[in-house]
Amino acid sequence: MEELLSKIAHCVEFGKVDKTAPYPPDMKGQEGADELTKQAIEQGIPAETILKEALVIGMDKVGVKFSEKKIFIPQMLMSAKAMNAAIEHLKPFFQSGEVKRKGKFIIATVQGDLHDIGKNLVKMSIEGAGWEVIDLGVDVKAEKVIASIEQNPGAIVGLSALLTTTMANMKNSVADIKAKYPESIVMVGGAPVSQGFCNEIGADFYAPDPQAAVAFLKAK
Amino acid sequence: MVTGILFETDCKNKLIVANRENVLKLLGYTDIVDEHVKELVIDLIQLSKANINPWGGFVLKQINKVVVPEGKIYIDDLFFEVNKTIAAQLRKAEYLAFFICTIGNSIERTSKEYLSKGDLLEGYIFDLIGSESAENLAEVVHQEVMEYAQSGGLQISNRYSPGYCNWDVSEQFKLFSLFPSEQIKIKLTDSALMNPIKSVSGIIGIGRDLKFKPYSCKLCSDEKCIYRNKK
Ligand code: B12
Ligand code: SF4
């Protein structure tokens, strides 16, 4: 069991998705996160063990190497893809409630803003850290976020904005969310957003990049 | 100079798509490049060519006055609060070319399709290619404005965009008011966002005694700016 788990962690760390995937070149033809996770489940290894002792460990290593600038965004994205392939096999266990994820995270690009890519990178990293992410998309009104909190009590919220004009909508969204759910934790990000702005609008945390967001969630 | 009408640029016939080295740089690579990623970038740039539908246009306006201490440029019955830095660079301008350009939304759509299939790296690279191509297109439009100005014996300035160099992005509303909305291929939303996303707008000064100068970034704190110290 140990060996299989460490093989899966290795596939996630190096972005080996499945047997047919050409990447990384030195693992060509070998089984990837997809096949190995399936085998692990067939062997009766608990899904929770696979998640925590293989997938999250692999992604942790990726996060460390990325912040040490030993790898770049492409490797991180390949790792996330391998992780997702493995997660597909764990989904039934999430749905049945057999495996609990670390928590729920609601993510949205604020009203009036259509930027998607930054939000998606954050979503991917947080999923990789073992959280369930509810992606509300772009141009999202505060009401929609509030409705989602209602359905997912205790979920942490992440808001993204890429223009100074839509930062005004971010401010209003945070105010609306806090008015309805004063206890909720709201994280903000996006190129023009700063720690100062985060303080000013009463959000709880500013993350300049996905790694900082994951570090914050880990401490939760 | 013919002022007040829309000039559509001839960008269709110019090479706009992103260059491989720049995309690799944006992915973080400087010297050592992952061969797999390099090949992927080459392939996706090739695929992107059919996905780029460039359109760009500019409108020339005579300047009434540039007031540097106020950071304002007066045109018709409007004034643009470009702030002191930009106003100082355009002090000697007689005309302004207001430009807008876009590569369309096809690359953006492709990027989203890949992302939603789970092909994260491909989706991300398409997005970068889109951004780079939009920047290249702005360069092409800049060149066309230069050619037009030079044909009348005039010089041009660098280009400046709302949202950069402390020029508020909400001034996009004034900029777009100078364009005939039914003839342009970009929509400005209520939040001053251009749709398609991969679009660029700005101004270029034109005048007899104008000099092309690099941006004056020494006093600016925007470390992430792509134009920082660009010649
Ligand atoms: C590439 C780029 C462009 C490209 C592509 C645009 C696009 N966004 O797709 C082009 C050339 C077309 C462009 C155009 C413009 N741009 Co531009 N652009 C950029 C640039 C250099 C990178 C943006 C990007 O795609 N980054 C990559 C993604 C992955 O990063 P990201 O979205 O920031 O997300 C990361 C983090 O912010 C964070 N994050 C994001 N969301 C969240 C949410 C949470 C909860 C958390 C925790 C973290 C987090 O994590 C992500 C991953 O690391 C930025 C400056 C910069 N260096 O960031 C300016 C920037 C976004 N642009 C800016 C401006 C002003 C413009 C224009 C208005 C200029 C103009 N007048 O033409 C136009 C607007 C276009 C439009 N549609 O309206 C400003 C916006 C600020 C402002 N003043 O309003 C910026 C910030 C530059 C600046 N002045 O400092 N731009
Ligand atoms: S770094 Fe330079 S070009 Fe960029 S916003 Fe600042 S002054 Fe303008």
Side-chain angles (χ1 to χ4, degrees):
Chain A
M1 169 172 130
E2 298 284 290
E3 200 197 323
L4 190 52
L5 289 175
S6 77
K7 266 191 182 165
I8 297 173
H10 187 84
C11 286
V12 170
E13 182 181 349
F14 293 95
K16 179 70 179 166
V17 180
D18 57 25
K19 199 165 176 182
T20 61
Y23 185 86
D26 61 348
M27 290 174 80
K28 216 173 179 164
Q30 295 175 25
E31 290 177 316
D34 180 32
E35 293 89 0
L36 296 172
T37 306
K38 194 161 169 257
Q39 285 167 27
I41 289 169
E42 281 162 5
Q43 287 180 19
I45 303 178
E48 180 129 14
T49 311
I50 302 175
L51 178 69
K52 296 194 173 140
E53 288 172 33
L55 307 183
V56 172
I57 290 189
M59 278 313 268
D60 269 354
K61 289 195 178 152
V62 173
V64 170
K65 284 198 280 185
F66 185 76
S67 31
E68 289 172 350
K69 298 203 164 63
K70 288 192 179 130
I71 58 166
F72 301 110
I73 291 179
Q75 285 105 316
M76 199 164 75
L77 295 174
M78 290 314 289
S79 290
K81 187 174 176 182
M83 166 99 184
N84 289 344
I87 290 271
E88 268 311 306
H89 297 290
L90 302 186
K91 277 204 173 138
F93 301 94
F94 295 141
Q95 272 145 17
S96 70
E98 194 182 318
V99 185
K100 294 250 174 308
R101 279 192 264 191
K102 294 200 174 150
K104 288 186 181 179
F105 189 83
I106 300 168
I107 194 162
T109 298
V110 299
Q111 181 176 8
D113 205 320
L114 302 173
H115 288 96
D116 211 7
I117 192 93
K119 170 189 71 71
N120 288 332
L121 292 186
V122 176
K123 169 187 170 180
M124 191 198 81
S125 297
I126 293 178
E127 261 171 356
W131 288 64
E132 178 178 352
V133 180
I134 300 144
D135 183 359
L136 300 180
V138 297
D139 192 12
V140 178
K141 291 201 171 90
E143 296 94 83
K144 205 168 161 194
V145 179
I146 291 170
S148 182
I149 302 176
E150 224 158 75
Q151 285 162 15
N152 303 286
I156 293 180
V157 176
L159 298 177
S160 179
L162 251 288
L163 276 187
T164 38
T165 41
T166 56
M167 279 163 71
N169 298 344
M170 178 179 258
K171 179 179 175 175
N172 296 337
S173 292
V174 172
D176 290 352
I177 294 167
K178 291 280 182 182
K180 189 87 199 268
Y181 292 103
E183 304 293 300
S184 62
I185 297 175
V186 184
M187 189 192 283
V188 291
V193 179
S194 64
Q195 185 62 53
F197 182 72
C198 167
N199 300 347
E200 186 191 314
I201 66 171
D204 300 282
F205 188 71
Y206 159 68
D209 51 44
Q211 291 72 41
V214 168
F216 174 78
L217 293 178
K218 277 224 172 97
K220 283 284 129 201
Chain B
M1 294 282 113
V2 182
T3 59
I5 62 158
L6 175 71
F7 288 91
E8 293 195 50
T9 60
D10 171 37
C11 45
K12 268 255 176 295
N13 302 316
K14 303 207 167 117
L15 189 67
I16 305 239
V17 76
N19 113 344
R20 179 203 321 169
E21 271 72 39
N22 286 351
V23 175
L24 288 169
K25 231 185 265 163
L26 290 170
L27 287 169
Y29 298 107
T30 41
D31 33 1
I32 311 157
V33 180
D34 189 321
E35 279 304 314
H36 171 83
V37 176
K38 188 167 152 189
E39 272 167 35
L40 188 62
V41 167
I42 295 173
D43 287 351
L44 299 189
I45 287 179
Q46 198 56 34
L47 277 177
S48 297
K49 288 187 178 157
N51 276 314
I52 289 179
N53 308 304
W55 179 87
F58 61 91
V59 172
L60 298 173
K61 287 279 180 182
Q62 189 147 22
I63 294 177
N64 294 340
K65 59 179 175 180
V66 179
V67 187
V68 178
E70 287 180 8
K72 287 185 187 155
I73 301 180
Y74 291 79
I75 276 145
D76 296 345
D77 49 0
L78 284 177
F79 60 84
F80 286 82
E81 293 181 82
V82 293
N83 109 27
K84 284 181 206 159
T85 323
I86 300 176
Q89 306 284 347
L90 296 173
R91 203 165 33 99
K92 293 190 175 156
E94 296 155 51
Y95 299 91
L96 274 187
F98 292 84
F99 73 88
I100 52 176
C101 58
T102 185
I103 60 157
N105 56 19
S106 174
I107 283 216
E108 215 178 301
R109 238 187 288 129
T110 310
S111 164
K112 280 188 189 170
E113 272 164 29
Y114 276 81
L115 288 176
S116 61
K117 272 195 296 182
D119 292 332
L120 308 172
L121 179 54
E122 289 80 354
Y124 185 66
I125 293 175
F126 272 120
D127 188 78
L128 288 182
I129 293 175
S131 298
E132 264 294 297
S133 306
E135 243 341 287
N136 287 354
L137 174 59
E139 192 64 42
V140 166
V141 174
H142 202 159
Q143 289 282 331
E144 288 216 12
V145 171
M146 183 179 80
E147 281 159 25
Y148 185 81
Q150 285 178 345
S151 69
L154 301 174
Q155 304 303 315
I156 61 154
S157 74
N158 212 329
R159 60 175 186 271
Y160 302 93
S161 293
Y164 281 88
C165 312
N166 279 320
W167 182 11
D168 202 292
V169 74
S170 63
E171 294 252 316
Q172 286 271 58
F173 296 114
K174 289 185 205 163
L175 189 148
F176 269 76
S177 75
L178 304 175
F179 287 86
S181 55
E182 63 294 344
Q183 285 175 48
I184 61 177
K185 304 225 167 125
I186 303 173
K187 284 211 165 67
L188 192 68
T189 69
D190 294 342
S191 47
L193 182 79
M194 290 181 279
N195 194 1
I197 293 277
K198 303 298 181 196
S199 303
V200 177
S201 70
I203 54 172
I204 299 162
I206 300 175
R208 237 168 302 267
D209 300 323
L210 205 58
K211 281 212 180 78
F212 187 102
K213 288 190 199 140
Y215 297 106
S216 44
C217 308
K218 276 201 202 89
L219 298 173
C220 176
S221 60
D222 196 341
E223 295 296 334
K224 286 198 283 184
C225 178
I226 44 170
Y227 298 118
R228 195 167 185 93
N229 299 323
K230 200 170 159 184
K231 292 282 154 2

